[in-house]
Amino acid sequence: MRIATWNVNSVRARTDRIIDWLGRSDVDVLAMQETKCKDEQFPYERFKEIGYEVAHVGLSQWNGVAIASRVGLDDVQIGFEDQPGFDKDPEADPVREARAIGATCGGVRVWSLYVPNGRELEDPHYAYKLDWLAKLRDDAEGWLKQDPDAQIALVGDWNVAPTDDDVWDPAFFEGKTHTSQPERAAFTAFTESGFADVVRPYTPGPGVYTYWDYTQLRFPKKQGMRIDFILGSPAFAARVEAAEIDRNERKGKGASDHAPVIVNLG
């Protein structure tokens, strides 16, 4: 079985490209982030035509996550149990954004995750990001304690570059989000809870990225970041036989600023 994650940066703008890629990649399960549409706007029929069921949650033109599967799509859950919400007005009730969706696909519990960006270190969104990651970690640790043999994949755009090898220039990111010590510690906490970065052993760095900003010719200059990950439970990690980052999908007109990340399971 092949499982992939891809921040598509608008599923409606890139439907043809995604459908074509699914036809070429032989991926069984695709987790998508930043779909940027409401549920009723998602192009379900295009996926159905090529044999994929889709579970999606989208509340507006921002955020949005989905799972497309041709090996079953069961027990769909929108948001994890303790997922926090956010509102820029501290007096308002926090809104749980469309940033997490889970489903069981071919015996694997897949979570498509779009971790908050954080914006700036002093922004309330940064504190929200750290809380979001901490709550997800606590819940994920609980899932493993409940069933140590569970096959769980936490996949998506984590908006964290865990090491200096994961950015094109560490000095450029000093004092900015994505590389701060608290964010890196929040990411590492997942590995301490038993989840493994199952892609990195097959795609070692430095200089191996999953995201390149549209500005400043970042892609041709190879100035990227590794921020898209597949973290697997022990039972899931034991099945991984290969992994890749499809850098070619960042090329050409109309590409997302992220590349798909794929694992092969035995």
Side-chain angles (χ1 to χ4, degrees):
M1 185 161 70
R2 280 166 62 82
I3 297 177
T5 181
W6 191 3
N7 179 321
V8 296
N9 192 10
S10 178
V11 68
R12 290 180 293 169
R14 272 169 261 287
T15 302
D16 289 344
R17 188 159 186 149
I18 297 166
I19 296 298
D20 288 347
W21 182 80
L22 283 171
R24 288 183 281 107
S25 66
D26 197 32
V27 160
D28 298 293
V29 182
L30 173 62
M32 290 171 276
Q33 302 85 42
E34 265 199 291
T35 57
K36 293 185 176 180
C37 66
K38 298 179 180 179
D39 288 346
E40 60 269 23
Q41 297 172 314
F42 191 95
Y44 297 98
E45 285 301 316
R46 293 294 305 279
F47 287 81
K48 184 178 179 181
E49 287 170 1
I50 60 170
Y52 290 82
E53 300 176 83
V54 176
H56 174 262
V57 57
L59 305 177
S60 65
Q61 74 272 32
W62 309 112
N63 309 321
V65 285
I67 299 172
S69 172
R70 64 182 186 185
V71 291
L73 192 69
D74 302 312
D75 302 321
V76 174
Q77 181 178 337
I78 295 173
F80 52 91
E81 289 86 344
D82 297 312
Q83 182 179 328
F86 177 77
D87 195 291
K88 60 183 178 181
D89 181 357
E91 302 299 320
D93 291 332
V95 176
R96 181 188 271 196
E97 298 175 310
R99 293 185 175 274
I101 190 168
T104 301
C105 308
V108 176
R109 189 65 177 167
V110 178
W111 279 94
S112 180
L113 306 167
Y114 181 40
V115 176
N117 178 280
R119 298 174 184 166
E120 297 178 355
L121 298 183
E122 303 303 321
D123 195 289
H125 209 258
Y126 178 74
Y128 164 56
K129 177 180 189 175
L130 295 178
D131 185 40
W132 202 97
L133 284 166
K135 293 295 198 320
L136 174 61
R137 182 265 176 127
D138 288 347
D139 282 2
E141 189 174 51
W143 302 332
L144 272 186
K145 287 181 178 177
Q146 185 177 7
D147 183 2
D149 296 323
Q151 297 180 55
I152 305 171
L154 307 176
V155 314
D157 178 355
W158 291 74
N159 271 316
V160 178
T163 75
D164 282 351
D165 282 350
D166 298 328
V167 294
W168 60 273
D169 181 6
F172 177 85
F173 291 93
E174 288 184 9
K176 299 178 182 177
T177 59
H178 293 59
T179 62
S180 70
Q181 189 280 327
E183 289 168 286
R184 287 179 167 178
F187 185 91
T188 301
F190 286 87
T191 61
E192 293 170 348
S193 295
F195 289 84
D197 178 352
V198 297
V199 176
R200 194 181 295 269
Y202 299 93
T203 60
V208 178
Y209 308 128
T210 64
Y211 164 82
W212 300 260
D213 197 308
Y214 286 130
T215 65
Q216 304 296 316
L217 298 175
R218 296 290 186 213
F219 184 67
K221 291 179 180 178
K222 300 181 180 180
Q223 296 176 347
M225 305 173 71
R226 186 197 287 249
I227 57 175
D228 301 86
F229 297 94
I230 297 176
L231 301 189
S233 65
F236 179 88
R239 294 185 60 193
V240 176
E241 296 182 337
E244 62 185 292
I245 298 166
D246 190 351
R247 189 177 182 277
N248 285 330
E249 277 305 307
R250 178 58 179 82
K251 298 178 181 178
K253 185 178 180 180
S256 170
D257 45 4
H258 293 251
V261 180
I262 310 117
V263 292
N264 290 2
L265 303 183

